[in-house]
């Protein structure tokens, strides 16, 4: 165990916090609260995530000069109150030419000692940082006591020739990498691989700090980590939870390792790139007690991880947008059942209301399953029949529709009546309408504009139908008793908009549909290569045509939580008017 008076000993606090975009004063208070907490733990350094002061991503707020000025005023106020500790805080910096930077302020002794500017910007998926920020060009290395450390931001650590090389070559024994890295399935494996490579290549400790919380479509999962100089994970925070993690680290082991190996960084970078060495005029905290043993929080199984992402995304969308509660159209089907379970776990059963809106096509099974779900979850359910309203519509339209057979027009009328009713409850009680469409339906347009698509937030918009079943089964496996009626998991899916209707009347089985959707949408596999995977040609062509023709519907859909590598919306942006066909 390192001695606490050892000048190579560092107590680092990683503040895995949940800021709110645009709430500058609130975020400043959150930062100051955790600085005080870190001081109570006698930390030498406390670090906060990327753009913790503004929230991430601030998007076009960054085009407002007043927003930038207010952010600068807040970082100045925070800095004036930071004494007895070093704080690393993500904020937006503006230079004399009005260029703005994604930056980290190094604060000590009541002032900003130095500012690091992010160098590499992601230009894929949901990221648009090139739209706003100017890249940094400097590679500072800071000295506190006998410890040399570097700071970089998110994407900087992903590049093998990035700033970590220059900083470790200049003597940095630890890199503090602050992030706002959004969640998606299996991304944690990629992060861990990258951190293992960077730490091993450069014989450097890497403290990776990620933000946590929901922001519109994005969920940030935390899972902050520390890797040692040998590429081994030595600490990991919880996922989807705010947490301050205290890590006691002894940099003498890095120094000794480098001397014995007679090496520093094994990565290559331009030798002309030189690090600036900056002394922090503070001696650190003396007299530390209660050495903090590092712990690796266990990762979550995939279905639990996805479910937790949906819960956190829903919690923060409702909370941060100041809704009093949510309302959901309950059909007795599996999609609305999953959304109701997520909402109840997110904001409490007292804040969730279900509307059961039967028609002449609604089965008694659906009624039993909707009310059974509500009872199991402890949520209120209200029944409003749409049959009378639907017949009134038909009567008013009868002269205009005379001589034409019934078709999807009459089916969609029922969905739109239900959409009107849920929106009426939303307006009257300030409840957010949670829509219940899944990714499979959104992909092929099996949804009604201004009907079941009407609402404010699409919880499972990025969840394929087959995964919906898996998540429901997982949710039923935890807690004192299953909450989703067993019949919901086994009965054939149906919209119940006409007699005897089944999803399979229009769509192939979801076990066939979902792999084709993933291949075409998420993996961008060409049509001919999808066929080589064993899928039938005419069916595959039909599915892809449905996807391409439904872009106009998806463009009008509410935002929904991203959990896959290619979600609709920020991830995948196709023109609505589009005559290109690849099949």
């Amino acid at each position: 165990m390192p001695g606490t008076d050892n000048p190579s000993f560092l107590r680092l606090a990683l503040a895995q916090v949940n800021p709110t975009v645009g709430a500058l004063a609130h975020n400043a208070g959150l930062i100051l609260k955790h600085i005080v907490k870190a001081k109570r733990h006698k930390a030498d350094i406390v670090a906060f995530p990327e753009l913790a002061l503004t929230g991430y991503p601030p998007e076009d707020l960054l085009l407002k000069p007043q927003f930038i000025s207010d952010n600068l005023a807040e970082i100045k106020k925070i800095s004036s109150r930071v004494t007895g500790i070093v704080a690393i805080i993500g904020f937006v910096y503006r230079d004399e030419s009005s260029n703005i930077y994604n930056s980290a302020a190094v604060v000590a002794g009541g002032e900003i000692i130095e500012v690091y500017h992010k160098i590499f910007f992601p230009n894929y998926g949901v990221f648009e940082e090139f739209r706003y920020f100017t890249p940094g060009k400097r590679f500072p290395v800071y000295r506190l006591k006998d410890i040399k450390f570097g700071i970089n931001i998110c994407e900087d650590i992903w590049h093998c020739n990035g700033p970590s090389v220059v900083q470790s070559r200049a003597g940095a024994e630890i890199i503090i990498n602050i992030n706002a890295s959004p969640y998606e399935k299996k991304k944690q494996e990629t992060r861990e691989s990258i951190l293992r490579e960077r730490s091993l290549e450069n014989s450097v400790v890497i403290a990776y700090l990620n933000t946590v919380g929901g922001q519109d479509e994005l969920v940030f999962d935390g899972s902050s980590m520390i890797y040692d100089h040998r590429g081994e994970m030595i600490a990991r925070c919880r996922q989807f939870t705010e947490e301050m993690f205290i890590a006691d680290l002894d940099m003498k082991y890095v120094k000794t390792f480098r001397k014995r190996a007679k090496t520093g960084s094994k990565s290559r970078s331009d030798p002309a790139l030189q690090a600036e060495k900056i002394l922090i005029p503070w001696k650190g905290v003396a007299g530390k007690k209660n050495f903090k043993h590092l712990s690796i929080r266990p990762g979550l199984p995939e279905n639990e991880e996805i479910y937790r992402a949906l819960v956190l995304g829903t919690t923060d969308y409702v909370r941060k947008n100041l809704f009093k509660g949510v309302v959901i159209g309950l059909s007795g089907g599996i999609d609305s059942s999953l959304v109701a379970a997520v909402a109840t776990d997110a904001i409490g059963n007292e804040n969730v209301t279900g509307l059961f809106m039967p028609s002449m096509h609604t089965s008694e099974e659906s009624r039993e399953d909707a009310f059974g779900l509500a009872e199991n979850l402890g949520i209120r359910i209200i029944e409003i029949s749409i049959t009378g309203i639907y017949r009134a519509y038909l009567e008013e339209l009868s002269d205009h529709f005379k001589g034409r057979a019934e078709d999807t027009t009459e089916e969609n009328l029922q969905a739109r009546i239900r959409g009107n009713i849920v929106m009426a409850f939303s307006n009257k009680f300030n409840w957010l309408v949670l829509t219940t469409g899944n990714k499979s339906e959104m992909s092929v347009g099996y949804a009604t504009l201004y009907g079941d698509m009407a609402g404010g937030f699409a919880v499972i918009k990025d969840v394929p139908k087959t995964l919906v079943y898996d998540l429901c089964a997982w949710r039923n496996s935890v807690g004192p008793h299953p909450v989703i009626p067993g019949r919901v998991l086994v009965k054939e899916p149906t919209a119940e908009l006409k007699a005897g209707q089944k999803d399979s009347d229009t769509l192939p089985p979801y076990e066939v549909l979902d792999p084709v959707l993933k291949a075409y949408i998420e993996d961008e596999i060409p049509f001919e290569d999808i066929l080589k995977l064993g899928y039938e040609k005419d069916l595959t062509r039909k599915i892809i045509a449905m996807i391409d023709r439904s872009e106009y519907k998806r463009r009008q859909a509410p935002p929904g939580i991203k959990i896959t590598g290619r979600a609709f919306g920020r991830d995948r942006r196709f023109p609505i008017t589009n005559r290109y066909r690849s099949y």
Side-chain angles (χ1 to χ4, degrees):
M1 183 173 71
T4 56
D5 293 326
N6 177 354
S8 294
F9 175 75
L10 176 70
R11 179 165 288 176
L12 172 65
L14 299 178
Q16 183 174 285
V17 294
N18 184 353
T20 300
V21 167
L24 297 174
H26 167 81
N27 296 341
L30 185 68
I31 289 167
L32 286 167
K33 172 185 171 183
H34 282 80
I35 289 173
V36 170
K37 186 175 180 180
K39 287 179 68 174
R40 285 203 304 267
H41 285 282
K42 295 187 178 295
D44 298 299
I45 298 175
V46 57
F48 294 89
E50 176 181 14
L51 295 181
L53 182 54
T54 62
Y56 187 95
E59 300 186 281
D60 279 9
L61 286 173
L62 295 168
L63 302 180
K64 294 181 175 291
Q66 185 61 48
F67 178 73
I68 306 301
S69 297
D70 291 345
N71 139 90
L72 293 171
E74 289 292 348
I75 194 68
K76 187 175 181 181
K77 285 192 286 187
I78 292 170
S79 302
S80 68
R81 297 175 61 180
V82 177
T83 58
I85 196 169
V86 176
I88 299 167
I89 305 167
F91 80 115
V92 179
Y93 179 85
R94 181 172 58 197
D95 68 15
E96 294 178 353
S97 301
S98 294
N99 297 312
I100 63 171
Y101 299 82
N102 182 339
S103 300
V106 182
V107 182
E111 61 181 347
I112 297 175
I113 303 295
E114 203 342 84
V115 177
Y116 172 84
H117 303 314
K118 186 174 182 178
I119 295 171
F120 288 96
F121 298 148
N123 191 31
Y124 51 83
V126 302
F127 303 104
E128 295 182 307
E129 293 188 34
F130 279 107
R131 176 177 171 88
Y132 310 107
F133 294 117
T134 299
K137 297 179 180 178
R138 298 170 52 253
F139 305 85
V141 171
Y142 308 96
R143 181 166 183 168
L144 174 66
K145 304 186 287 185
D146 281 351
I147 301 164
K148 295 176 183 175
F149 68 95
I151 298 168
N152 49 52
I153 301 176
C154 204
E155 187 78 8
D156 290 340
I157 205 75
W158 288 64
H159 294 262
C160 62
N161 60 345
S164 299
V165 182
V166 182
Q167 292 166 324
S168 59
R169 193 175 60 200
E173 294 121 4
I174 179 170
I175 304 293
I176 300 171
N177 175 250
I178 64 172
N179 293 260
S181 177
Y183 169 79
E184 64 186 53
K185 285 194 304 179
K186 301 188 184 302
K187 190 173 185 179
Q188 182 67 6
E189 297 172 12
T190 304
R191 291 175 185 151
E192 291 179 7
S193 177
I194 292 294
L195 295 177
R196 186 180 305 113
E197 290 174 9
R198 291 298 91 79
S199 57
L200 186 59
E201 290 165 353
N202 298 297
S203 301
V204 68
V205 175
I206 295 178
Y208 167 96
L209 170 63
N210 195 21
T211 195
V212 68
Q215 170 59 28
D216 295 347
E217 303 99 322
L218 303 181
V219 174
F220 301 91
D221 55 319
S223 197
S224 303
M225 296 171 278
I226 301 176
Y227 275 74
D228 71 11
H229 55 285
R230 298 164 297 182
E232 298 291 331
M233 182 193 292
I234 57 174
R236 181 171 59 202
C237 297
R238 296 181 179 90
Q239 286 182 279
F240 308 109
T241 304
E242 280 195 290
E243 180 178 7
M244 173 167 279
F245 190 86
I246 307 297
D248 282 347
L249 304 164
D250 193 344
M251 294 300 108
K252 75 179 181 184
Y253 295 112
V254 182
K255 302 175 195 289
T256 303
F257 179 84
R258 287 178 174 178
K259 286 179 182 177
R260 287 176 179 171
K262 297 182 179 179
T263 184
S265 170
K266 300 181 183 69
S267 300
R268 294 182 178 181
S269 68
D270 185 346
L273 299 176
Q274 297 296 318
E276 300 176 42
K277 298 181 180 180
I278 299 167
L279 176 67
I280 296 178
W282 183 60
K283 298 297 184 183
V285 179
K288 296 184 183 71
K289 298 179 181 179
N290 302 321
F291 175 75
K292 307 292 181 181
H293 292 279
L294 301 181
S295 61
I296 298 176
R297 305 293 189 187
L300 300 174
E302 185 172 287
N303 287 336
E304 181 178 0
E305 183 182 87
I306 294 169
Y307 191 90
R308 292 275 300 276
L310 296 176
V311 168
L312 179 56
T314 302
T315 300
D316 277 1
Y317 195 89
V318 173
R319 179 177 62 85
K320 292 179 179 181
N321 287 295
L322 307 179
F323 285 97
K324 293 182 178 179
V326 301
V327 59
I328 306 162
L330 296 181
S331 67
I334 195 161
D335 296 320
S336 61
S337 297
L338 177 59
V339 171
V342 168
T344 302
D345 291 339
I347 60 173
N349 58 3
E350 70 277 12
N351 298 310
V352 179
T353 299
L355 296 181
F356 180 64
M357 297 168 283
S359 74
M360 70 287 294
H361 302 304
T362 301
S363 68
E364 185 59 30
E365 285 185 354
S366 294
R367 180 190 308 275
E368 292 172 359
D369 291 338
F371 277 81
L373 173 78
E375 182 179 359
N376 292 343
L377 292 173
I379 64 175
R380 179 167 66 151
I381 185 168
I382 300 169
E383 181 172 344
I384 300 176
S385 173
I386 69 165
T387 301
I389 303 171
Y390 176 59
R391 287 174 176 159
Y393 263 78
L394 293 182
E395 183 176 346
E396 288 296 324
L397 294 168
S398 60
D399 289 343
H400 304 283
F401 289 177
K402 188 180 297 183
R404 293 180 177 269
E406 289 191 3
D407 54 18
T408 55
T409 304
E410 285 74 20
E411 295 177 33
N412 290 339
L413 274 177
Q414 297 168 64
R416 290 181 176 128
I417 291 167
R418 291 178 173 127
N420 273 324
I421 292 172
V422 294
M423 288 307 303
F425 275 82
S426 173
N427 293 156
K428 187 61 68 176
F429 299 107
N430 191 28
W431 293 339
L432 173 69
V433 176
L434 301 183
T435 65
T436 61
N438 60 65
K439 188 172 189 175
S440 305
E441 295 170 347
M442 294 297 103
S443 296
V444 297
Y446 192 63
T448 303
L449 276 175
Y450 325 120
D452 54 313
M453 292 177 66
F457 196 58
V459 175
I460 59 171
K461 178 182 179 179
D462 197 33
V463 180
K465 184 78 167 190
T466 48
L467 181 55
V468 169
Y469 282 95
D470 291 342
L471 295 178
C472 286
W474 176 84
R475 181 60 183 83
N476 272 0
S477 72
V478 300
H481 57 80
V483 295
I484 298 169
R487 183 168 54 193
V488 172
L489 277 71
V490 297
K491 66 184 179 183
E492 192 168 351
T494 172
E496 290 192 322
L497 297 175
K498 64 179 181 180
Q501 185 180 35
K502 300 289 186 291
D503 287 8
S504 55
D505 299 338
T506 305
L507 304 175
Y510 288 108
E511 294 78 9
V512 175
L513 177 64
D514 283 357
V516 176
L517 298 178
K518 182 179 184 300
Y520 184 68
I521 296 167
E522 295 177 32
D523 300 335
E524 289 283 7
I525 297 176
F527 173 68
E528 294 296 335
D529 290 341
I530 294 176
L531 300 183
K532 293 176 184 177
L533 298 175
Y535 297 103
E536 197 270 324
K537 186 173 185 178
D538 289 342
L539 179 60
T540 302
R541 180 183 286 116
K542 177 184 175 182
I543 292 170
I544 293 175
M546 294 170 76
I547 297 169
D548 289 349
R549 287 198 303 264
S550 300
E551 186 62 36
Y552 78 101
K553 285 189 178 182
R554 290 190 291 270
R555 194 71 65 87
Q556 299 179 69
I561 300 166
K562 169 183 166 65
I563 61 105
T564 71
R566 200 89 188 277
F568 293 122
R570 295 172 64 96
D571 265 336
R572 188 179 188 272
R573 309 173 205 182
F574 272 71
I576 295 173
T577 305
N578 171 23
R579 297 290 293 274
Y580 176 74
R581 298 293 180 262
S582 61
Y583 45 89

